[in-house]
Amino acid sequence: MPSSCSTRSTRVTRRARRSPIPRSSRPSRPSRARPRTAARCSSSRTPPSPRPTTPPRSRPARTCCARSAPTCPPCRRRRIPSACHAPTNRTTSSSADTRARTATRTAASSGSCPTSCGITSCPPLARRSPLATPRTSPLYHDDPKLFSFRGRVVAHADHAGRPSVLLDHTAFYPESGGQMADRGRLGEALVVDVQLDDEGRIHHVIEGARPAIGAELEGTIDKPRRLVHMAQHTGQHMLSRALADVARAETVSSRLGESACTIDLDVATLDERAAAEAEALVNAVVDDDAPIRAFFPSEDELRALPLRRQPKVHDNIRVVAIGDFDVSPCGGTHCTNTAQVGFVRIDGLERYKGKIRVTFSAGVRARTKLAREADVVRALAREFTCGLEDVPGGIEKLRRELEEARQALGRVRGRVASAIAEALVKATLARGERAVVGVIEDASLDLVRAVAGRITAEGDLVALLAGEADGGTIVLAARGPGSSFDCGAFLKRAALAAGGRGGGRPERAEGRLPAGIDWPAIAAATLAAPGR
């Protein structure tokens, strides 16, 4: 990787080669004593006479790279830096540089030739471009902390059925690369969404009336929202690097949502100790206050960079370097140093599509979650009348007591179920019947099941039981091992007659009927019906 000095000199040389500053404003260079020809033009020359009425045979306009930005046909001296063409070697710059580039983009989009060639017939760029509307120039690449700007409306459009406007340049970040879109205001209009279409145009979705085409407006970014997005996105880069270094778990995809951020890894398991180690490594880098640089490297510089992953595009590749910790291609908004991230926290690990998904938070969002969890722990400490450190012990003690109470209740329920089953079987056998019909007052489903289990434990008896609970009647039919009674068919007919629902297998069936029914009568009528 080249040193900072060599990189800076390369960048300056390339910028000088592509500089949109008029030649008249540049320092003079020694003349090469080559005579100027009529085909050449300069800002110091007077405009030529108008073209004849009959235009010469048209020739295809030369285009600029893959962005198809036409050159100035009369002088053919330099490509016009249009609103859809970004320099190939750009870095986070000062506000003065940003203002200079903004002025150049404004001149290009308005149709004036930024080379000051002096040719009055230099056609407006917007009319010569093959796109109906030029692509918006993204100011957020130059300065992620640019929260206000002035832009001109160049077109009205619609995105996903919602009205939108297109600007000559913008500081609003559109939703892309897993990062949510900015919000804010454009003049008096509220910007509720920002989206990027397939042609690379940035749509500012407006709530209400759209500003007129040609209007120059003040754009204001929702600063707290942008700062949250910057912290989450920078934290994701750092956590992906740490997980790759500590656990050899490469990031497959990431999503920075409104309430949760996730990283999907290419591993099937991830030890919680490894996750904690990666989290500690990230926060150590946060404490180091390492600088973060976003720039557009040259092809030679790009080949020398230790990228964590390969770029998804082939030109105008933007790289984000977090100190000497991580270098990744990315077009999103990021902090300018790691201390601005504040804090990164892994909130959970889960299995997702056979791999591991990591849920994390950073910055303000992480601090807010920690504060809420601290409030919960303090509330538990008050309930247990113990200190914060003793809450886990209090929970464990409560769990043991609950388990003991559950076991005691099971023993009592078993004795009650045995007594009820014995009484019902005795009465049924006294009548010479094999179907034990009974209603258990204030019984839970567990108790009804326990009674039926004791009745049908042996022999060919059939248990047809009901119990009132939760505003309805729970019913159960079960048969002994020596019986061929079809419990599912019986309960289905009984539920249909009583206006309830139920069914199951021939050996066992359950259902729920309306409250207040006469279960013995319904059971008797169903047993007496043909086709039982």
Side-chain angles (χ1 to χ4, degrees):
M1 179 174 178
S3 66
S4 58
C5 293
S6 62
T7 303
R8 188 177 299 110
S9 63
T10 303
R11 183 166 60 251
V12 170
T13 304
R14 283 183 168 270
R15 284 186 178 173
R17 197 177 301 147
R18 300 186 178 196
S19 172
I21 302 175
R23 289 187 178 272
S24 59
S25 302
R26 298 184 191 175
S28 60
R29 292 184 295 180
S31 174
R32 298 182 181 178
R34 184 174 62 182
R36 293 181 177 267
T37 64
R40 291 184 171 271
C41 58
S42 165
S43 59
S44 61
R45 296 190 61 203
T46 59
S49 58
R51 293 176 181 269
T53 305
T54 303
R57 185 174 60 182
S58 62
R59 297 174 62 184
R62 295 193 299 175
T63 57
C64 175
C65 303
R67 302 288 183 163
S68 300
T71 60
C72 175
C75 66
R76 302 188 184 278
R77 173 170 295 182
R78 185 184 296 107
R79 295 165 177 161
I80 298 177
S82 70
C84 67
H85 180 67
T88 57
N89 191 17
R90 214 170 22 175
T91 184
T92 302
S93 58
S94 65
S95 57
D97 293 336
T98 301
R99 287 194 298 270
R101 275 194 294 273
T102 301
T104 302
R105 293 173 182 132
T106 303
S109 61
S110 64
S112 60
C113 179
T115 61
S116 300
C117 63
I119 302 299
T120 57
S121 60
C122 184
L125 179 64
R127 273 182 273 161
R128 300 284 294 185
S129 175
L131 292 176
T133 52
R135 298 180 185 176
T136 305
S137 177
L139 302 178
Y140 47 81
H141 280 170
D142 299 324
D143 185 3
K145 291 187 175 182
L146 182 64
F147 302 115
S148 63
F149 68 101
R150 294 195 68 82
R152 185 169 58 85
V153 179
V154 297
H156 288 171
D158 290 283
H159 188 276
R162 298 179 296 173
S164 66
V165 297
L166 277 62
L167 305 179
D168 55 350
H169 51 260
T170 184
F172 282 95
Y173 181 82
E175 180 179 356
S176 61
Q179 180 176 330
M180 302 298 291
D182 282 332
R183 301 286 188 270
R185 303 194 73 88
L186 193 58
E188 298 299 324
L190 189 65
V191 179
V192 297
D193 196 9
V194 187
Q195 293 291 330
L196 191 69
D197 66 15
D198 294 337
E199 296 180 357
R201 298 176 301 179
I202 299 177
H203 291 258
H204 303 76
V205 180
I206 300 296
E207 188 176 84
R210 287 180 287 199
I213 296 178
E216 187 173 336
L217 304 171
E218 179 79 15
T220 306
I221 312 298
D222 184 341
K223 181 177 179 180
R225 179 183 175 89
R226 165 68 73 81
L227 292 176
V228 167
H229 291 173
M230 291 166 59
Q232 307 307 308
H233 206 156
T234 308
Q236 179 265 309
H237 279 225
M238 298 167 68
L239 187 55
S240 291
R241 165 57 69 183
L243 289 169
D245 290 348
V246 173
R248 296 184 179 180
E250 298 293 338
T251 296
V252 176
S253 63
S254 62
R255 180 181 177 276
L256 311 176
E258 294 282 359
S259 58
C261 300
T262 59
I263 297 174
D264 292 338
L265 304 175
D266 65 349
V267 294
T269 59
L270 180 64
D271 186 79
E272 289 191 358
R273 288 177 296 180
E277 185 178 347
E279 179 187 278
L281 176 59
V282 170
N283 287 303
V285 178
V286 170
D287 294 339
D288 286 343
D289 192 17
I292 299 175
R293 178 188 176 213
F295 62 104
F296 289 82
S298 66
E299 293 183 2
D300 293 338
E301 289 174 330
L302 185 63
R303 282 192 292 268
L305 292 175
L307 298 179
R308 174 167 47 85
R309 62 178 180 83
Q310 292 303 309
K312 297 180 180 179
V313 296
H314 302 290
D315 59 347
N316 278 348
I317 298 173
R318 184 170 181 262
V319 171
V320 176
I322 303 176
D324 57 359
F325 181 64
D326 181 65
V327 182
S328 301
C330 185
T333 57
H334 298 269
C335 301
T336 56
N337 59 67
T338 58
Q340 295 171 5
V341 178
F343 177 65
V344 176
R345 177 173 181 262
I346 294 180
D347 299 319
L349 305 174
E350 62 177 324
R351 292 271 295 177
Y352 180 74
K353 294 183 178 180
K355 303 295 183 180
I356 292 296
R357 168 168 286 183
V358 179
T359 303
F360 74 97
S361 55
V364 175
R365 190 177 292 177
R367 295 198 302 269
T368 302
K369 288 184 177 181
L370 281 177
R372 286 200 300 262
E373 293 175 2
D375 291 340
V376 172
V377 174
R378 281 192 288 267
L380 289 173
R382 288 193 297 269
E383 291 295 326
F384 289 132
T385 62
C386 65
L388 296 179
E389 297 81 3
D390 298 327
V391 167
I395 293 176
E396 178 61 24
K397 179 182 178 182
L398 182 62
R399 189 195 65 78
R400 289 196 304 269
E401 293 175 350
L402 180 61
E403 182 62 26
E404 292 172 359
R406 185 181 291 113
Q407 293 176 2
L409 177 61
R411 291 191 293 269
V412 172
R413 183 188 295 121
R415 289 194 292 268
V416 172
S418 297
I420 294 174
E422 183 179 353
L424 291 174
V425 169
K426 184 177 180 180
T428 301
L429 295 178
R431 295 191 301 268
E433 299 174 355
R434 310 305 295 174
V436 181
V437 180
V439 177
I440 305 173
E441 301 294 338
D442 299 325
S444 64
L445 181 58
D446 290 337
L447 180 58
V448 174
R449 288 171 176 170
V451 173
R454 281 158 176 77
I455 292 174
T456 59
E458 297 178 1
D460 59 352
L461 292 179
V462 176
L464 307 175
L465 306 177
E468 297 288 339
D470 298 330
T473 303
I474 53 177
V475 291
L476 183 147
R479 73 185 188 188
S483 174
S484 61
F485 185 81
D486 192 340
C487 298
F490 165 83
L491 197 55
K492 187 177 295 184
R493 294 196 303 271
L496 182 63
R501 54 186 176 84
R505 303 187 308 274
E507 300 83 9
R508 185 187 185 90
E510 295 179 1
R512 189 177 185 87
L513 307 182
I517 63 167
D518 187 352
W519 172 246
I522 293 175
T526 305
L527 289 172
R532 56 168 284 186

